């Protein structure tokens, strides 16, 4: 199916073909859509995994699990150090130059960098935990979360390496599909045997299954490395620190994107209770399904925007953004209507008591709707090489959002925390929208036809 809707003038399609080229269109169809299918399947499996975990653990233990999982995910992005994006960006150019030894050396340095950052983080958290223990306030949760952070960081890095080498299925299937299936199978086996476990036990199983899959993926991934690269890489000096310095802005971008969705769960759990953290996590994950239409548009349209921008065709970039925002907004709005009627029933899948928190889910839906209506704001800035400005905007708004969540939680409980989280999403989308109109002359939102840009 064409990315552009039926009924578009032939001249428009011809223009897009001139800009993007037939090779790119074939690549989008052959690799973009299968990757999208995997991501959509992942969303469904993730939802099912968390539902079964909630049913198995109970609301309080599930809240503790959600806090550990969110913290472990955030620390995983700390450990990966932006090296995953760097290797994905650099590998195609190195392979085009046909220097396999440099490609293997780059990947090797990335692995060393991830392991080094993880070791430093563990040492810092261990020292902090021991210091807190001395004064009678033991706090080892961040250290425990590192049991997921390390395999998560390695999985994230390996996935990008394999994508850079053109192995999309091997890159995505282990973590995105098999990990969820493995956790679901473990839950089913434990439930069938009547095994009673804690949040810490379930978290250990989750991390252990991912680590086993990462090790297996690594073995199979060695076969994808360029021929002759290993021997030549021995002569290339290891420089993990130099790679990390090169990737520092990419690291900041990855951290900025995960600050709010992950640490907000931890804040709610610390300031309110693990039970509230579980409700918050479940409602946020459920509303996250509304982001799939925009994810689909971003995956298919990112390269098209980049090509059109490189060709200097601002009008075509504008037209593509309008199509993407419309294509994301309409399904998102339909999804919100469904959640307005059946949101309570969906939340009750986690635990019957969660059904009473449908208003919290609808607050998250408001943020999701604005996110979809604003269209490919993030992709537009990244594809037009404005990543530094985007990182600064995202870091400031998400940090402010975390502060607002803390205030909202203390003042108004779960509803206050949810409203602050939705407001943070609205803030960064609005700021990027205004910035894009003023600096790029492009309005990526559904309002583009109503409001003329400033250029």
């Amino acid at each position: 199916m064409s990315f552009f809707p039926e009924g578009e003038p032939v001249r428009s399609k011809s223009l897009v073909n001139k800009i993007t080229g037939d090779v790119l269109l074939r690549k989008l169809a052959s690799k973009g859509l299968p990757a999208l299918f995997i991501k959509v399947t992942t969303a469904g499996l993730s939802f099912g995994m968390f539902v079964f975990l909630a049913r198995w653990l109970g609301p309080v233990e599930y809240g503790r699990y959600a806090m550990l999982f969110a913290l472990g995910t955030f620390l995983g992005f700390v450990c990966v150090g932006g090296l995953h994006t760097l290797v994905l960006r650099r590998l195609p150019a190195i392979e085009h130059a046909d220097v396999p030894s440099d490609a293997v050396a780059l990947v090797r340095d990335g692995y060393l960098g991830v392991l080094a950052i993880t070791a430093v983080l563990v040492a810092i958290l261990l020292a902090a935990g021991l210091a807190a223990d001395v004064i009678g306030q033991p706090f080892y949760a961040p250290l425990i979360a590192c049991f997921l952070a390390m395999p998560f960081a390695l999985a994230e890095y390996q996935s990008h390496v394999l994508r850079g080498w053109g192995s999309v299925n091997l890159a995505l299937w282990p973590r995105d599909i098999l990990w969820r299936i493995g956790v679901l199978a473990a839950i089913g086996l434990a439930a069938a045997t009547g095994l009673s476990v804690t949040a810490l036990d379930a978290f250990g199983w989750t991390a252990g299954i991912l680590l086993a899959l990462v090790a297996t993926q690594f073995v199979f991934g060695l076969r994808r490395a360029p021929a002759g690269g290993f021997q030549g890489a021995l002569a290339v000096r290891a420089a993990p620190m130099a790679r990390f310095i090169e990737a520092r802005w990419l690291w900041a971008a990855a951290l900025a994107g995960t600050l709010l969705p992950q640490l907000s769960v931890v804040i709610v759990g610390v300031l309110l209770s693990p039970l509230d953290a579980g409700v918050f996590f479940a409602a946020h994950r459920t509303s996250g399904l509304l982001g799939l239409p925009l994810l689909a548009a971003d995956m298919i349209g990112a390269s098209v925007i980049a090509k059109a921008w490189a060709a200097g065709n601002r009008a075509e970039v504008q037209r593509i953004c309008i199509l993407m925002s419309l294509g994301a907004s309409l399904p998102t709005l339909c999804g919100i209507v469904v959640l307005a009627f059946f949101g309570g029933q969906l939340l009750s899948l986690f635990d019957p008591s969660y059904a009473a928190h449908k208003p919290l889910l609808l607050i998250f839906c408001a943020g999701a709707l604005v996110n979809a209506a604003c269209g490919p704001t993030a992709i537009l800035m990244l594809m037009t090489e404005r990543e530094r400005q985007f990182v600064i905007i995202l870091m400031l708004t998400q940090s402010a959002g975390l502060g607002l969540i803390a205030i909202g939680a203390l003042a108004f409980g779960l509803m206050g925390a949810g409203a602050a989280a939705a407001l943070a999403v609205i803030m960064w989308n609005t700021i990027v929208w205004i910035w894009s109109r003023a600096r790029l002359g492009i309005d990526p939102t559904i309002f583009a036809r109503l409001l003329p840009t400033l250029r």
Side-chain angles (χ1 to χ4, degrees):
M1 179 182 292
S2 172
F3 171 70
F4 300 97
E6 295 297 327
E8 278 290 306
V10 175
R11 59 180 177 83
S12 297
K13 292 185 178 181
S14 298
L15 179 59
V16 175
N17 286 336
K18 288 178 182 178
I19 293 173
T20 60
D22 292 337
V23 174
L24 176 59
L25 293 177
R26 287 196 298 270
K27 188 177 293 185
L28 287 173
S30 63
K31 293 187 178 180
L33 293 181
L36 173 61
F37 170 77
I38 291 175
K39 289 297 182 182
V40 172
T41 305
T42 299
L45 287 172
S46 291
F47 186 81
M49 181 181 83
F50 290 125
V51 165
F52 277 96
L53 278 166
R55 286 288 189 172
W56 184 37
L57 293 172
V60 175
E61 284 299 304
Y62 177 67
R64 294 192 177 101
Y65 175 89
M67 293 172 65
L68 284 172
F69 186 90
L71 185 57
T73 301
F74 173 75
L75 293 178
F77 279 105
V78 173
C79 293
V80 80
L83 296 165
H84 59 314
T85 309
L86 177 67
V87 77
L88 183 61
R89 179 183 289 185
R90 292 280 307 277
L91 272 180
I94 295 175
E95 290 195 347
H96 181 72
D98 196 21
V99 188
S101 58
D102 285 355
V104 173
L106 172 66
V107 172
R108 175 202 61 197
D109 290 349
Y111 275 110
L112 292 175
V114 171
L115 294 175
I117 296 171
T118 303
V120 171
L121 179 64
V122 168
I124 292 173
L125 293 177
L126 179 60
L130 291 174
D133 203 2
V134 169
I135 61 175
Q137 297 292 332
F139 187 65
Y140 290 102
L143 187 62
I144 295 170
C146 283
F147 284 102
L148 176 63
M150 186 187 72
F152 183 91
L154 290 173
E156 187 74 9
Y157 179 73
Q158 280 187 177
S159 173
H160 283 68
V161 170
L162 292 168
R163 284 170 59 192
W165 280 336
S167 301
V168 175
N169 287 329
L170 183 58
L172 299 180
W173 270 84
R175 187 188 64 180
D176 288 3
I177 303 295
L178 298 181
W179 180 34
R180 273 78 177 181
I181 293 176
V183 173
L184 284 169
I187 295 171
L189 181 62
T193 57
L195 184 64
S196 178
V197 298
T198 65
L200 192 58
D201 297 326
F203 183 75
W205 289 12
T206 303
I209 291 171
L210 180 58
L211 184 60
L213 287 170
V214 166
T216 305
Q217 184 188 41
F218 177 79
V219 173
F220 282 95
L222 291 175
R223 304 177 184 178
R224 307 290 179 170
F230 289 100
Q231 185 174 358
L234 295 175
V236 180
R237 182 181 177 183
M241 181 57 71
R243 308 292 190 192
F244 173 70
I245 293 173
E246 184 181 356
R248 62 189 183 280
W249 276 103
L250 301 174
W251 185 43
L255 288 180
T258 193
L259 269 177
L260 189 72
Q262 307 303 337
L263 293 188
S264 59
V265 180
V266 180
I267 290 174
V268 169
V270 171
L271 296 182
L272 297 179
S273 69
L275 178 62
D276 290 318
V279 174
F280 189 92
F281 187 74
H284 191 269
R285 286 281 170 168
T286 303
S287 68
L289 297 175
L290 298 173
L292 289 177
L294 185 58
L295 172 64
D298 286 346
M299 291 184 70
I300 298 175
S303 296
V304 184
I305 289 176
K307 288 285 185 178
W309 181 262
N313 196 327
R314 182 178 282 109
E316 186 61 21
V317 174
Q318 178 65 79
R319 194 180 76 87
I320 294 168
C321 286
I322 291 174
L323 288 174
M324 291 173 68
S325 59
L326 286 174
S329 298
L330 295 178
T332 300
L333 184 59
C334 293
I336 290 175
V337 172
V338 172
L339 291 180
F341 285 99
F342 303 106
Q345 289 89 325
L346 277 176
L347 288 178
S348 69
L349 295 176
F350 293 87
D351 188 84
S353 63
Y354 286 12
H357 296 281
K358 187 172 82 170
L360 175 64
L361 174 61
L362 295 180
I363 288 176
F364 285 133
C365 288
L369 181 59
V370 172
N371 189 51
C374 285
T377 47
I379 288 297
L380 178 62
M381 290 194 71
L382 294 175
M383 293 301 103
T384 55
E385 300 180 355
R386 280 12 182 230
E387 62 266 19
R388 292 194 180 189
Q389 294 90 331
F390 177 68
V391 167
I392 292 172
I393 292 172
L394 199 59
M395 189 69 77
L396 290 176
T397 53
Q398 299 231 334
S399 298
L402 290 176
L404 290 174
I405 288 171
I407 295 171
L410 291 173
F412 304 104
L414 265 180
M415 294 295 288
L423 179 61
V425 173
I426 294 170
M427 276 196 309
W428 81 258
N429 272 284
T430 304
I431 292 173
V432 173
W433 171 31
I434 295 172
W435 189 94
S436 299
R437 283 169 49 83
R439 300 297 179 89
L440 300 178
I442 295 170
D443 187 338
T445 72
I446 59 174
F447 311 111
R449 295 296 176 92
L450 301 177
L451 302 172
T453 54
L454 301 182
R455 283 192 179 187

